[in-house]
Amino acid sequence: MFWITLIVGLAGTAVALALAGKRVLFLVKLFKSGQPAPDRVASVKRDPKGDIEGQVTEVLGQKKLLKWTVAGLAHFFVMWAFFLLITVYLEAGVALLFGLDVHIPFLQDWGPIGFVQDTIALACAAGLLTFAIIRLKNAPAKLGRKSRFDGSHTGGAWVILFMIFNVVWTMFFFRGVAEATGNLGYGKAAYFSYWVGTWFDGLSDHTLEILESVGLLLHIGVALAFLVIVVNSKHLHIFLAPLNVMFKRRPSGLGAAQPVMKPDGSNLDFEEADPDEDLFGRSKIEDFTWKGFLDFATCTECGRCQSQCPAWNTEKPLSPKMVILELRDHAFAKAPYFLATEEEQAAFTDEQKLAMQVDKPLVGEDGVIHPDVLWSCTNCGACVEQCPVDIEHIDHILDMRRYQAMIESSFPSEAGVMLKNLENKGNPWGMSEMKRLEWVEELDFEVEVVDEKLPEDVEYLFWVGCAGALEDRAKKTTKAVAELLHIAGVKFAVLGPMEACTGDPARRLGMEYLFQGMAQQNVETLNDAGVKKIVATCPHCFNTLANEYPQVGGHYEVVHHTQLLADLVDNGRLVPVTPIEENITYHDPCFLGRHNKVYKQPRDIMAKVPGVKTQEMHRCKDKGFCCGAGGARMWMEERIGKRINTERVDEALETNPDTVSTACPFCLVMLGDAINEKKSAGEAKESLEVVDVAQLLIKSIKGEATVAAAAE
């Protein structure tokens, strides 16, 4: 019996490893064909501690998955079963090679090990049951696009659940028979295996020997079949997730948009760019880096990104999950062609090329990615924040936008007006630079304007931003912040006409060369003025100045106004005294919250204002919902589905607020427009308004008390 078991086991192992090995070699070849990404390797070398932390918290600790408590716990137990039950397969390997009665000292006779093995296997079974319930409850056939599994390969997911279940039951079958034959060394410590062993009481030794061999082969066979299935399915993430976590970008928050890079990892200088050698974004699947291919293959199809996406939640065609899956499927389909030699490519028939999607455009009406999908993205970062395996959806969307914008000149027509205004006037609205100081005339104190050099007694340059200087609603925030800094005795100055747009709208649209030009001009202005510290009211300016300007030589200490004001309140330099008896709900700006992890300070400011009662929306902080303005969407029409700002205001109205507060001029405008529409339709009280937290603070400090409409 031993030799039959050995021969069958080794033969099955050889076949499975050959099949899995062939697939692995294909994947390695595919990844190696991607464009270089030397910065990813360099980041691991620079920060090995960060990599260890990522593996411990995200891979082993399942930090992101545990945000979804029930599903997260289920996955936690299934994953740790995968790790811990390797010891059972080690035991099975010894039994196969050396006999059923051979044991590894300590590993196979110490009770606590058997206890842990049985316990994690049962926890895994409970996790599988939980997954099954979640999938049945959230089935796409039942919920449609409201299901996070809509678009996923649900059939494959059920196969995987079935295979994991097979691992568990064959383990207990094999160990139960081993207990009955006296070959399980853990005794009653392996309590469930011991109990299963009682099922076989009374069987003959010969029958038990046959059953133990069958159980051993079944257990090993299931694992080998599982291996072949995994490397050919979405569950490839079992092996790839640790790699994707290792090579992820490591900012605090989502960080900067990546610059256009040359193959050697240096930033592309557009003035010296070679159209024949340099890539201006991604025009075909072969243009993606090896990290891009790794992202595509790592996707678990869990749909967490999709469930949080503001575009998807307002009936738009963009699903971050489907973008990754469509790119992955296209890469796998086309790989045999672009991995082949020129001679092999010439030998392919037209039918083969059609099957390999050789001539299918990456972006287009009949392309892999539809233009409406590409331009629906607000760059809010919800997808990246929620992804448990650190896929960088925004980077890939932005790279495809870059080629469309810079090479094809294909983008929503209304965005073209914004780009011309940036080029000609230095702001998206096309207003004169002299209008940037008009808000100062409405203050009752003087504001220092930088001539050439920042005066030595000035602590902060106040970066007003285009909206803060030119948009009437945003100017209220600008004046409030200026007054607060003046009251607190903080010396600040502004650039006035010397200030120009940071270039964020151009970059997020994909017009990278315009961004680079504007950024370099601003950095030159700031450096010549000797600027070291900047305070900004616009999260988009804040993010660009703090995270993206270092790419072009601009290194400054940048704070958002809520961070500075919260500190001034804490230090007693600003003292809110007059009660504001209002129910207030706070909207997290995406580029302040998810992109830069500033959640606490705006709430701290409101908490210090007497009388304020805060009520969180059901989607807040890292799960906050976008206003719809990011990703240059502020300057594009929203023609598909429900308006994102309307959806957000509907959520705000559920809290019955007297005021909606925020900390971003774009959010101020978008939410304000939606609130005005609700007022016109009689769906919101006339007194409802949206204000910046700085406006609430100045009201309380200056004694401009307000009375809630509900209390009147």
Side-chain angles (χ1 to χ4, degrees), residues 476-478 480-481 484 537 561-562 565 605 662-663 691-700:
K476 294 177 182 178
T477 302
T478 303
V481 171
L484 290 165
T537 55
H561 74 280
T562 57
L565 294 180
I605 292 172
T662 188
V691 300
D692 190 280
V693 291
Q695 293 172 261
L696 293 172
L697 183 59
I698 195 68
K699 275 185 180 181
S700 181

Side-chain angles (χ1 to χ4, degrees), residues 172-173 176-178 180 195-204 208 211:
F172 284 124
F173 176 74
V177 179
W195 176 66
V196 172
T198 62
W199 300 358
F200 303 101
D201 288 346
L203 296 179
S204 67
L208 289 174
L211 287 176

